[in-house]
């Protein structure tokens, strides 16, 4: 929020402040500029409409981000940590179960903010697993999970059809959804299942 910059400069004269879009941050460059560490810690109280985009950006940059303390809408946190079999289980939840540890710290009532929102907020601490410079494994799992949840009431043989048909030109030689998963729906797969499925489809090489 650009309105806060003058106050920050006044209160913390030595603080480096940059005003910009957090979703466009080049995390690798910021990490290279940090002293004493090669991975960053992030603190954010983002606009709630940016929650999914921010969570995705952070988990796709675990090579450069080690942890985050975030204040999010309580419902968003519940979706993030929901286990398989729940209606709130989501593709982002799959990624955060696999590549991060989420600790719920405390709730904040609407009155803690001005102006007060109409919802309860929750503060969480996220510790990200170390990742290679190449985030293709995480992206591969995310691609599979998004395709599966895109038609979450359908079996994977149907919901994954468009994704599978586009792999290696489609046809008989293209990878196929294994029979062990074909008759299941997205919410029936564990995060590890999504990782294994991404490997089967050639979208992830992480063991």
């Amino acid at each position: 929020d650009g309105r806060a910059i003058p106050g920050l400069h006044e209160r913390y004269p030595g603080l480096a402040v940059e005003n910009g879009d957090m979703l466009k941050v080049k995390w690798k460059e910021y990490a290279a500029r940090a002293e004493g560490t090669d991975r960053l810690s992030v603190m954010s109280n983002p606009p709630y409409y940016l929650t999914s985009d921010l969570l995705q950006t952070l988990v796709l940059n675990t090579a450069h981000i080690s942890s985050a303390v975030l204040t999010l809408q309580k419902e968003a946190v519940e979706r993030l940590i929901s286990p398989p079999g729940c209606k709130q289980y989501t593709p982002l939840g799959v990624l955060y179960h696999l590549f991060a540890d989420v600790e719920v710290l405390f709730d904040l009532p609407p009155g803690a903010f001005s102006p007060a929102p109409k919802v309860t907020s929750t503060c969480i601490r996220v510790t990200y697993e170390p990742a290679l410079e190449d985030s293709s494994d995480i992206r591969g799992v995310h691609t599979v999970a998004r395709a599966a949840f895109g038609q979450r009431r359908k079996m994977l043989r149907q919901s994954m059809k468009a994704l599978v048909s586009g792999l290696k030109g489609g046809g008989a030689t293209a990878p196929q959804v294994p029979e062990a998963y074909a008759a299941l729906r997205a919410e029936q797969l564990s995060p590890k299942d999504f990782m294994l499925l991404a490997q089967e489809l050639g979208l992830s090489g992480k063991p």
Side-chain angles (χ1 to χ4, degrees), residues 135-173:
S135 63
S136 59
D137 288 329
I138 303 176
R139 293 179 186 277
V141 175
H142 194 216
T143 296
V144 170
R146 288 183 64 184
F149 280 98
Q151 301 180 70
R152 64 185 302 153
R153 298 312 305 159
K154 294 185 177 180
M155 296 179 183
L156 292 190
R157 66 163 53 92
Q158 180 63 34
S159 62
M160 299 287 294
K161 185 177 293 186
L163 175 63
V164 170
S165 66
L167 297 175
K168 297 183 178 179
T173 60

Side-chain angles (χ1 to χ4, degrees), residues 67 107 129 165:
S67 63
D107 289 341
E129 295 290 334
S165 66

Side-chain angles (χ1 to χ4, degrees), residues 5-182:
I5 293 177
L8 288 170
H9 280 150
E10 181 178 348
R11 187 164 184 177
Y12 306 103
L15 182 66
V17 180
E18 296 187 27
N19 186 22
D21 185 342
M22 192 173 187
L23 299 180
K24 296 180 180 178
V25 169
K26 293 180 172 58
W27 296 105
K28 182 178 181 179
E29 294 180 8
Y30 272 68
R33 288 158 49 185
E35 297 182 3
T37 182
D38 57 356
R39 297 174 76 206
L40 303 170
S41 296
V42 176
M43 291 186 292
S44 181
N45 176 23
Y48 290 153
Y49 70 90
L50 290 179
T51 295
S52 293
D53 290 337
L54 176 60
L55 288 171
Q56 179 177 323
T57 295
L58 296 178
V59 77
L60 290 175
N61 284 278
T62 58
H64 314 297
I65 299 171
S66 62
S67 63
V69 175
L70 308 170
T71 301
L72 309 173
Q73 185 174 342
K74 184 173 184 176
E75 291 182 0
V77 173
E78 290 172 348
R79 289 194 297 271
L80 191 66
I81 63 177
S82 287
C86 294
K87 291 182 179 179
Q88 294 177 306
Y89 189 41
T90 65
L92 265 179
V94 170
L95 294 187
Y96 273 75
H97 279 294
L98 285 170
F99 301 105
D101 178 65
V102 179
E103 179 185 358
V104 176
L105 300 178
F106 52 83
D107 289 341
L108 291 163
F113 302 90
S114 179
K118 296 180 180 180
V119 297
T120 298
S121 304
T122 299
C123 184
I124 62 173
R125 179 187 292 117
V126 183
T127 303
Y128 293 98
E129 295 290 334
L132 299 176
E133 186 73 20
D134 183 2
S135 63
S136 59
D137 288 329
I138 303 176
R139 293 179 186 277
V141 175
H142 194 216
T143 296
V144 170
R146 288 183 64 184
F149 280 98
Q151 301 180 70
R152 64 185 302 153
R153 298 312 305 159
K154 294 185 177 180
M155 296 179 183
L156 292 190
R157 66 163 53 92
Q158 180 63 34
S159 62
M160 299 287 294
K161 185 177 293 186
L163 175 63
V164 170
S165 66
L167 297 175
K168 297 183 178 179
T173 60
Q176 300 296 317
V177 176
E179 282 301 313
Y181 299 124

